[in-house]
Amino acid sequence: MYDFPDSRGHFGPYGGIFVGETLMAAIEELRSVYERYRNDPEFIAEFERDLKHFVGRPSPIYHARRWSDHLGGAQILLKREDLNHTGAHKVNNTIGQAMLARRMGKKRVIAETGAGQHGVATATVAARYGLECVVYMGAEDVKRQAPNVFRMKLLGATVVPVESGSKTLKDAMNEAMRDWVTNVESTFYIIGTVAGPHPYPMIVRDFQSVIGREAKSQMMEAFGRQPDRLVACVGGGSNAIGLFYPYIEDESVRMTGVEAAGDGIATGRHAAPLCAGKPGVLHGNRSYLVQDENGQISDTHSISAGLDYPGVGPEHAWLKDTGRADYAAVTDNEALDAFHALCRFEGIIPALESSHALAHAAKIAPTMDRDKLILVNLSGRGDKDINTVAQLAGIQL
Amino acid sequence: MSRIRSAFEKLGKNGQKALIPFITAGDPDPVLTVGLMHGLVAGGADIIELGVPFTDPMSDGPVIQHASERALKYGVSLKQVLGMVAEFREKDTETPIVLMGYLNPFEAMGYEKFAVEAKAAGVDGVLTVDCPPEEADQLLDSFTNAGIDPIFLIAPTTTSERIAKIASVASGYVYYVSLKGVTGATHLDFSEIEDRVNEIRKQVDLPICIGFGIRDESTAKSASRIADGVVIGSRIVQEIEQSDCQSAVKNVTAFVTSMRRAIDG
Ligand SMILES: Cc1ncc(COP(=O)(O)O)c(C=O)c1O
């Protein structure tokens, strides 16, 4: 049986708790609180109620028929996380963590964000529960995801642009950690992906697993069987693990995570730790990292802010090493092509992050028979990205 | 006997407290580091904490972050840091040196290889900020084999259960973090610190040094009354930041001299 992580948060050699001593007590507190509530019927019922009435779950599975026909191979099915309230899978997790924060009596929540989707999802639950909310966002991302910055502000959050390092997601995470260590008694850190120190990778996975659980029953209902393949983009890896986790023991389903190859792996300008990095320690856990030979973390590049991160959740590192999942990478241009294809063939504007998963599906579908099924996690909608896409086309909005 | 232990024994005999300045290796320029280290000793340093630059210093405030950035502009690697220590040892075989950094550069070099080369270069202790004892088994084995003291932090939030765990693996000294926050923060409550340090003494049989937030004569003096040593980081890095290359050593030495006077006085 697949039973990870172990009690100290390890997925094989990966994961663990790598933080400064000041945070150890807070992490232990979170671990024990989560242990207490994870199987608590009342906690679960509240979580499910919120997913249904506030998020709008279950999210449908949609058969992208016209695009599949055009590609001329396997059928592409989309798990529509883009239809969630706030427009991405991120909210599944922020609801769960905010419920923990409330039970711990924390009045203030903080978050890091790249694309802004996790920031928006955190600001949303904070508004709903009346919690103070501070979101750290790389100054570079503040520029390229301006609509989400404004959404967070509308929701009452304070957005702090982070000017250090590469001014992207990893620097936002550094700054959020610094805030946490300073305000550890009053503050709950809502991490947005399956990264950070244990128990975060497990907590976020568990909350996001609703995606895969729903998919399993929806597939049976609509198609009478499970898909042949799962495809999801991987930044930190939360939407991917949310889809994969309930399928881990179902070995007939191949699972593929798709990283951002940016300008191309060979150029060095990418954000693909699993495909082109090596193991190391960053942001509280051991996993694959994009780093140089001296162990310094490299600047990453992706057109999509949500994938522009040098690390990846430790469970993905383990799934890669054990071969249970495989990982591919697609370039900015390939992702953009898929972005446009989904707009034109299906009337759906996907997030640039999700477009990476779509691009990989578009590559493999033609190599497969027409009766094969590929389930792609459409992790978010692309409204936030229209400025980026317009700019690339030389259009001023 | 390790250099760190003999340093504390000597201080104890003289009724003195340890003055432990911190600088980041390679800041503001790698050619200045060894000179700065000698300057620290000239000003009265008993032990030197030498920061290993890292791209993502999660536990540091802006001052030490910027020091890391300045050093990384020159591509300063862990290997080069060891080179600086070796060069320092050509003229100073007595002052203990503790490397302070984040785990990943050590992991990239390989614990075993690092420990052997560090010992050969003249490193006495190592503090990896983001590696708690629970994750340190292999690292500790390498340090023990090479004869390097693993230095650990104890925080205001550390439970007595964890203090016991830390006490069982630490050697050299333990570093009590005097506030919740990152390096460079400035709100110290010395009566609270004193209570905590007294509690820790019941469980820890090593010298206890206080750091984070020590920045002037008055805070240095207060800290030295409570603990066995005082670590001063951001304030010294600031001195370097505000100096030009010609005056850096002179200014840093003068500042350390004033701290020496404060804690001896
Ligand atoms: C729509 C969308 N998909 C995917 C991601 C990447 O995160 P993860 O890999 O944790 O799913 C993000 C992150 O911002 C996102 O907004």
Short mmCIF file of all heavy atoms in Angstrom, two decimals, chain B residues 3 79 81-90 92-93 97 99 109 112-126 142-143 145-148:
data_model
loop_
_atom_site.label_atom_id
_atom_site.label_comp_id
_atom_site.label_asym_id
_atom_site.label_seq_id
_atom_site.Cartn_x
_atom_site.Cartn_y
_atom_site.Cartn_z
N ARG B 3 39.31 24.10 19.22
CA ARG B 3 39.63 25.53 19.39
C ARG B 3 38.50 26.26 20.12
O ARG B 3 38.75 27.16 20.91
CB ARG B 3 39.81 26.19 18.02
CG ARG B 3 41.17 26.02 17.41
CD ARG B 3 41.37 27.01 16.27
NE ARG B 3 42.48 26.57 15.44
CZ ARG B 3 42.33 25.87 14.31
NH1 ARG B 3 41.15 25.56 13.87
NH2 ARG B 3 43.39 25.51 13.61
N LYS B 79 33.29 26.30 -1.61
CA LYS B 79 34.69 25.93 -1.80
C LYS B 79 35.60 27.15 -1.63
O LYS B 79 36.65 27.08 -0.98
CB LYS B 79 34.84 25.32 -3.20
CG LYS B 79 36.07 24.51 -3.33
CD LYS B 79 36.00 23.52 -4.49
CE LYS B 79 37.33 22.79 -4.59
NZ LYS B 79 37.67 21.98 -3.43
N VAL B 81 34.88 29.79 0.09
CA VAL B 81 34.85 30.18 1.50
C VAL B 81 35.90 29.39 2.27
O VAL B 81 36.63 29.94 3.10
CB VAL B 81 33.44 29.98 2.09
CG1 VAL B 81 33.44 30.27 3.60
CG2 VAL B 81 32.41 30.86 1.38
N LEU B 82 36.00 28.11 1.96
CA LEU B 82 37.02 27.29 2.64
C LEU B 82 38.43 27.79 2.30
O LEU B 82 39.33 27.80 3.15
CB LEU B 82 36.88 25.81 2.25
CG LEU B 82 35.58 25.13 2.68
CD1 LEU B 82 35.59 23.66 2.31
CD2 LEU B 82 35.32 25.31 4.18
N GLY B 83 38.60 28.25 1.08
CA GLY B 83 39.88 28.84 0.68
C GLY B 83 40.21 30.08 1.53
O GLY B 83 41.36 30.28 1.93
N MET B 84 39.18 30.89 1.80
CA MET B 84 39.40 32.09 2.63
C MET B 84 39.82 31.69 4.05
O MET B 84 40.70 32.31 4.65
CB MET B 84 38.12 32.93 2.68
CG MET B 84 37.71 33.52 1.34
SD MET B 84 36.06 34.27 1.45
CE MET B 84 35.71 34.54 -0.28
N VAL B 85 39.16 30.65 4.57
CA VAL B 85 39.50 30.20 5.91
C VAL B 85 40.96 29.71 5.94
O VAL B 85 41.73 30.06 6.85
CB VAL B 85 38.55 29.07 6.38
CG1 VAL B 85 39.01 28.51 7.73
CG2 VAL B 85 37.12 29.59 6.48
N ALA B 86 41.34 28.95 4.93
CA ALA B 86 42.71 28.44 4.87
C ALA B 86 43.71 29.60 4.83
O ALA B 86 44.75 29.57 5.50
CB ALA B 86 42.87 27.53 3.66
N GLU B 87 43.37 30.62 4.07
CA GLU B 87 44.27 31.78 3.99
C GLU B 87 44.36 32.50 5.33
O GLU B 87 45.44 32.91 5.77
CB GLU B 87 43.77 32.72 2.89
CG GLU B 87 44.78 33.79 2.51
CD GLU B 87 44.20 34.80 1.54
OE1 GLU B 87 43.28 34.44 0.76
OE2 GLU B 87 44.65 35.96 1.58
N PHE B 88 43.21 32.63 6.00
CA PHE B 88 43.19 33.25 7.33
C PHE B 88 44.09 32.47 8.30
O PHE B 88 44.84 33.05 9.09
CB PHE B 88 41.75 33.28 7.85
CG PHE B 88 41.62 33.74 9.29
CD1 PHE B 88 41.60 35.10 9.61
CD2 PHE B 88 41.49 32.81 10.31
CE1 PHE B 88 41.47 35.51 10.93
CE2 PHE B 88 41.36 33.22 11.64
CZ PHE B 88 41.35 34.58 11.95
N ARG B 89 44.04 31.16 8.20
CA ARG B 89 44.81 30.30 9.11
C ARG B 89 46.33 30.43 8.93
O ARG B 89 47.10 30.08 9.82
CB ARG B 89 44.42 28.83 8.91
CG ARG B 89 43.12 28.44 9.56
CD ARG B 89 43.28 28.11 11.04
NE ARG B 89 41.98 27.94 11.69
CZ ARG B 89 41.43 28.80 12.55
NH1 ARG B 89 42.07 29.90 12.89
NH2 ARG B 89 40.25 28.56 13.08
N GLU B 90 46.76 30.97 7.75
CA GLU B 90 48.20 31.16 7.56
C GLU B 90 48.77 32.10 8.63
O GLU B 90 49.92 32.01 9.02
CB GLU B 90 48.48 31.74 6.16
CG GLU B 90 48.26 30.72 5.05
CD GLU B 90 48.26 31.36 3.67
OE1 GLU B 90 48.65 32.56 3.55
OE2 GLU B 90 47.85 30.67 2.71
N ASP B 92 46.66 33.16 11.52
CA ASP B 92 45.95 33.03 12.81
C ASP B 92 45.54 31.58 13.00
O ASP B 92 44.63 31.08 12.33
CB ASP B 92 44.72 33.94 12.83
CG ASP B 92 44.03 33.97 14.19
OD1 ASP B 92 44.05 32.94 14.90
OD2 ASP B 92 43.45 35.02 14.54
N THR B 93 46.23 30.90 13.90
CA THR B 93 45.93 29.48 14.12
C THR B 93 45.10 29.28 15.38
O THR B 93 44.81 28.15 15.76
CB THR B 93 47.24 28.67 14.27
OG1 THR B 93 48.01 29.27 15.32
CG2 THR B 93 48.03 28.65 12.98
N ILE B 97 36.78 29.44 14.04
CA ILE B 97 35.92 29.90 12.95
C ILE B 97 34.72 28.98 12.82
O ILE B 97 34.85 27.76 12.73
CB ILE B 97 36.68 29.94 11.62
CG1 ILE B 97 37.80 30.97 11.72
CG2 ILE B 97 35.74 30.28 10.46
CD1 ILE B 97 38.66 31.02 10.49
N LEU B 99 31.38 28.37 10.48
CA LEU B 99 30.64 28.73 9.26
C LEU B 99 29.16 28.70 9.56
O LEU B 99 28.67 27.82 10.28
CB LEU B 99 30.93 27.75 8.12
CG LEU B 99 32.37 27.64 7.62
CD1 LEU B 99 32.40 26.78 6.35
CD2 LEU B 99 32.97 29.02 7.36
N MET B 109 27.86 20.07 -2.11
CA MET B 109 29.26 19.69 -2.08
C MET B 109 29.41 18.24 -1.59
O MET B 109 30.38 17.55 -1.97
CB MET B 109 30.02 20.61 -1.13
CG MET B 109 31.51 20.45 -1.15
SD MET B 109 32.28 21.86 -0.31
CE MET B 109 33.98 21.38 -0.38
N GLU B 112 30.33 14.64 3.47
CA GLU B 112 31.60 14.00 3.80
C GLU B 112 32.78 14.82 3.28
O GLU B 112 33.70 15.17 4.01
CB GLU B 112 31.59 12.61 3.15
CG GLU B 112 32.51 11.62 3.77
CD GLU B 112 32.11 11.27 5.20
OE1 GLU B 112 30.93 10.91 5.43
OE2 GLU B 112 32.99 11.37 6.07
N LYS B 113 32.68 15.13 2.01
CA LYS B 113 33.74 15.90 1.35
C LYS B 113 33.89 17.27 2.01
O LYS B 113 34.98 17.73 2.29
CB LYS B 113 33.37 16.05 -0.13
CG LYS B 113 34.34 16.82 -0.99
CD LYS B 113 33.93 16.65 -2.47
CE LYS B 113 34.26 17.87 -3.34
NZ LYS B 113 35.69 18.06 -3.55
N PHE B 114 32.74 17.89 2.28
CA PHE B 114 32.79 19.20 2.93
C PHE B 114 33.51 19.11 4.27
O PHE B 114 34.41 19.89 4.57
CB PHE B 114 31.40 19.79 3.13
CG PHE B 114 31.40 20.90 4.15
CD1 PHE B 114 31.92 22.14 3.83
CD2 PHE B 114 30.95 20.68 5.45
CE1 PHE B 114 32.00 23.15 4.78
CE2 PHE B 114 31.03 21.67 6.41
CZ PHE B 114 31.55 22.92 6.07
N ALA B 115 33.10 18.14 5.10
CA ALA B 115 33.62 18.07 6.46
C ALA B 115 35.14 17.89 6.44
O ALA B 115 35.87 18.56 7.18
CB ALA B 115 32.95 16.94 7.23
N VAL B 116 35.61 17.01 5.57
CA VAL B 116 37.04 16.75 5.49
C VAL B 116 37.80 18.00 5.03
O VAL B 116 38.79 18.41 5.64
CB VAL B 116 37.31 15.56 4.53
CG1 VAL B 116 38.79 15.42 4.25
CG2 VAL B 116 36.73 14.27 5.12
N GLU B 117 37.28 18.64 3.99
CA GLU B 117 37.98 19.82 3.45
C GLU B 117 37.89 21.00 4.41
O GLU B 117 38.81 21.80 4.51
CB GLU B 117 37.42 20.18 2.07
CG GLU B 117 37.82 19.14 1.03
CD GLU B 117 37.40 19.50 -0.38
OE1 GLU B 117 37.15 20.70 -0.66
OE2 GLU B 117 37.31 18.57 -1.21
N ALA B 118 36.75 21.11 5.10
CA ALA B 118 36.57 22.22 6.04
C ALA B 118 37.56 22.08 7.19
O ALA B 118 38.19 23.05 7.61
CB ALA B 118 35.13 22.25 6.56
N LYS B 119 37.67 20.86 7.69
CA LYS B 119 38.61 20.62 8.80
C LYS B 119 40.03 20.97 8.36
O LYS B 119 40.77 21.65 9.07
CB LYS B 119 38.52 19.15 9.23
CG LYS B 119 39.37 18.84 10.43
CD LYS B 119 38.80 19.52 11.67
CE LYS B 119 39.74 19.35 12.87
NZ LYS B 119 39.16 19.99 14.06
N ALA B 120 40.37 20.51 7.16
CA ALA B 120 41.72 20.77 6.66
C ALA B 120 41.96 22.27 6.49
O ALA B 120 43.07 22.76 6.71
CB ALA B 120 41.92 20.05 5.33
N ALA B 121 40.92 23.01 6.13
CA ALA B 121 41.07 24.45 5.93
C ALA B 121 41.19 25.18 7.26
O ALA B 121 41.69 26.31 7.31
CB ALA B 121 39.89 24.99 5.14
N GLY B 122 40.69 24.56 8.34
CA GLY B 122 40.77 25.22 9.64
C GLY B 122 39.44 25.69 10.19
O GLY B 122 39.38 26.57 11.04
N VAL B 123 38.35 25.10 9.70
CA VAL B 123 37.02 25.41 10.23
C VAL B 123 36.82 24.62 11.52
O VAL B 123 37.19 23.45 11.61
CB VAL B 123 35.93 25.03 9.20
CG1 VAL B 123 34.54 25.10 9.83
CG2 VAL B 123 36.01 25.93 7.98
N ASP B 124 36.19 25.26 12.52
CA ASP B 124 36.00 24.60 13.81
C ASP B 124 34.57 24.19 14.09
O ASP B 124 34.32 23.21 14.77
CB ASP B 124 36.47 25.55 14.92
CG ASP B 124 37.92 25.91 14.72
OD1 ASP B 124 38.78 25.04 14.94
OD2 ASP B 124 38.20 27.05 14.27
N GLY B 125 33.62 24.98 13.61
CA GLY B 125 32.22 24.66 13.86
C GLY B 125 31.38 25.05 12.66
O GLY B 125 31.81 25.85 11.82
N VAL B 126 30.19 24.45 12.56
CA VAL B 126 29.29 24.77 11.46
C VAL B 126 27.86 24.85 11.98
O VAL B 126 27.42 23.99 12.74
CB VAL B 126 29.36 23.71 10.33
CG1 VAL B 126 28.33 24.02 9.25
CG2 VAL B 126 30.74 23.64 9.73
N SER B 142 29.24 13.10 9.59
CA SER B 142 30.39 13.66 8.88
C SER B 142 31.16 14.63 9.77
O SER B 142 32.40 14.63 9.76
CB SER B 142 29.94 14.41 7.62
OG SER B 142 29.11 13.60 6.84
N PHE B 143 30.43 15.45 10.53
CA PHE B 143 31.10 16.42 11.40
C PHE B 143 31.88 15.70 12.50
O PHE B 143 33.01 16.06 12.81
CB PHE B 143 30.08 17.38 12.03
CG PHE B 143 29.52 18.39 11.05
CD1 PHE B 143 28.56 19.30 11.47
CD2 PHE B 143 29.94 18.43 9.73
CE1 PHE B 143 28.04 20.23 10.58
CE2 PHE B 143 29.42 19.35 8.84
CZ PHE B 143 28.46 20.25 9.27
N ASN B 145 33.10 12.66 12.51
CA ASN B 145 34.28 12.00 11.94
C ASN B 145 35.41 12.98 11.68
O ASN B 145 36.57 12.65 11.85
CB ASN B 145 33.92 11.30 10.63
CG ASN B 145 33.02 10.11 10.89
OD1 ASN B 145 32.94 9.61 12.02
ND2 ASN B 145 32.31 9.65 9.86
N ALA B 146 35.03 14.19 11.24
CA ALA B 146 36.06 15.16 10.88
C ALA B 146 36.53 15.98 12.09
O ALA B 146 37.56 16.65 12.02
CB ALA B 146 35.54 16.08 9.78
N GLY B 147 35.76 15.94 13.17
CA GLY B 147 36.12 16.75 14.33
C GLY B 147 35.67 18.20 14.22
O GLY B 147 36.38 19.12 14.60
N ILE B 148 34.47 18.39 13.68
CA ILE B 148 33.89 19.74 13.58
C ILE B 148 32.73 19.83 14.56
O ILE B 148 31.92 18.90 14.67
CB ILE B 148 33.42 20.00 12.13
CG1 ILE B 148 34.64 20.17 11.23
CG2 ILE B 148 32.50 21.21 12.06
CD1 ILE B 148 34.29 20.33 9.77
#
